[in-house]
Amino acid sequence: MNALDIAKEAAAAASDKKAVRPVLLDLRGISDFCDFQFICSGENDRQTRAICEAIDERCRKNGVRPAAVEGKQTGNWITMDYGSTIIHVFFDHLRDYYALEEIWPKAKFVALKDA
């Protein structure tokens, strides 16, 4: 799986768990540390953890494991590192505070309707 495939699998898994406000950013040529970032939100720690677990399960079925997962203990902001794809699962109210989507104003938004 390439970086975009991982991001789209993550988006599909998050959608299955009713993630809120999913966004996929194409950062190729803009960021030095990743090509794509998938960002979504959950309403509580139970949902954010469920989203994270669904993403992990779906990617593992395709032979892909994260290099690291941070924040799963609290569920406030979970980061999953798949190398060229970084996944962020936020409490919805914290997501606006950190505003990751605004860090890269030149990033392209990838349509998720086909994910």
Side-chain angles (χ1 to χ4, degrees):
M1 291 180 71
N2 64 34
L4 180 57
D5 291 336
I6 292 169
K8 287 189 172 187
E9 286 294 316
S15 177
D16 290 346
K17 295 297 178 182
K18 310 293 188 232
V20 180
R21 299 190 299 146
V23 172
L24 178 54
L25 300 176
D26 182 345
L27 300 173
R28 292 176 289 186
I30 298 171
S31 170
D32 291 337
F33 68 92
C34 69
D35 291 336
F36 295 94
Q37 286 203 21
F38 174 69
I39 305 166
C40 66
S41 305
E43 298 297 325
N44 53 53
D45 62 328
R46 191 174 187 183
Q47 185 183 18
T48 58
R49 286 188 194 117
I51 293 167
C52 175
E53 289 168 9
I55 292 168
D56 184 50
E57 182 179 314
R58 193 161 182 149
C59 287
R60 284 178 190 259
K61 283 182 181 177
N62 288 296
V64 180
R65 294 174 178 253
V69 177
E70 298 292 333
K72 194 172 176 186
Q73 303 82 355
T74 63
N76 296 332
W77 177 2
I78 302 171
T79 303
M80 305 174 78
D81 181 354
Y82 285 93
S84 294
T85 301
I86 306 295
I87 297 164
H88 302 275
V89 184
F90 280 99
F91 269 8
D92 199 41
H93 71 277
L94 287 177
R95 181 175 172 180
D96 292 331
Y97 177 78
Y98 289 103
L100 295 184
E101 295 98 320
E102 296 174 18
I103 292 174
W104 296 279
K106 295 182 180 181
K108 296 175 187 167
F109 286 84
V110 179
L112 291 173
K113 63 182 173 213
D114 300 323

